[in-house]
Amino acid sequence: MTQLTTDSLDDVDRRILAELTQDGRISITALAEKIHISRAHAYHRVTQLTERGVLTKFAAVIDPIKAGLKSSAYVTLKVKQHSWRELRESLKAIDEVHHIALVGGDFDVILLVRTVDNEHLRRLVFDRLQSMPGVLDTQTSLIFDDVDAR
């Protein structure tokens, strides 16, 4: 498989990605009309972008408050060396964890977690996350206002 670089994406690809970022449910016909290419060409490009791994999934974006998830936080973890792969799989299995990133700096992992209330958040951090094998320390930062940049 060819290594994908930003140079591999042309203007049509970038316009397709911009439109899909705004509306992941847009039909191929409407997408083609918006970027002024044929429906067949749009379908082919979306298929290529998916096969190349540029488009990884199509998902709904929810309003956490309206979905009953009234407490959100970033939780940072310091972890034991070489525990990332196993820990990552355990974290992926927790419904309240919405994003996981391995990072460099003062901590090793950052999580975006969303729960129904602060009591549930407390139990998640103290009872589940802190007791996981490989987790040395946690810090929790509550989110007061959540703005989606895209």
Side-chain angles (χ1 to χ4, degrees), residues 70-85:
K70 296 181 175 123
S71 187
S72 296
Y74 288 106
V75 180
T76 61
L77 312 175
K78 287 186 182 179
V79 301
K80 290 180 187 173
Q81 191 171 12
H82 305 298
S83 64
W84 167 241
R85 284 182 182 85

Side-chain angles (χ1 to χ4, degrees), residues 74-77 97 99-103 107-112:
Y74 288 106
V75 180
T76 61
L77 312 175
V97 174
H99 183 80
I100 305 167
L102 179 66
V103 297
F107 46 86
D108 305 303
V109 177
I110 188 166
L111 310 174
L112 170 59

Side-chain angles (χ1 to χ4, degrees), residues 13-80:
D13 290 332
R14 287 185 188 89
R15 290 185 354 234
I16 288 171
L17 294 175
E19 290 298 332
L20 289 174
T21 299
Q22 290 300 309
D23 181 3
R25 292 179 53 164
I26 190 170
S27 71
I28 292 293
T29 302
L31 177 64
E33 288 173 4
K34 280 193 165 210
I35 59 175
H36 308 291
I37 61 175
S38 72
R39 183 192 170 291
H41 192 193
Y43 180 82
H44 176 72
R45 287 296 188 108
V46 170
T47 300
Q48 274 190 325
L49 289 166
T50 303
E51 288 173 354
R52 292 166 52 198
V54 177
L55 287 171
T56 58
K57 67 180 176 178
F58 294 84
V61 177
I62 65 163
D63 180 316
I65 301 297
K66 290 178 181 175
L69 302 172
K70 296 181 175 123
S71 187
S72 296
Y74 288 106
V75 180
T76 61
L77 312 175
K78 287 186 182 179
V79 301
K80 290 180 187 173

Side-chain angles (χ1 to χ4, degrees), residues 84-115:
W84 167 241
R85 284 182 182 85
E86 184 176 317
L87 184 60
R88 175 181 57 200
E89 295 308 311
S90 297
L91 292 169
K92 285 170 57 177
I94 299 173
D95 290 338
E96 296 87 353
V97 174
H98 289 255
H99 183 80
I100 305 167
L102 179 66
V103 297
D106 294 334
F107 46 86
D108 305 303
V109 177
I110 188 166
L111 310 174
L112 170 59
V113 299
R114 299 192 188 279
T115 61

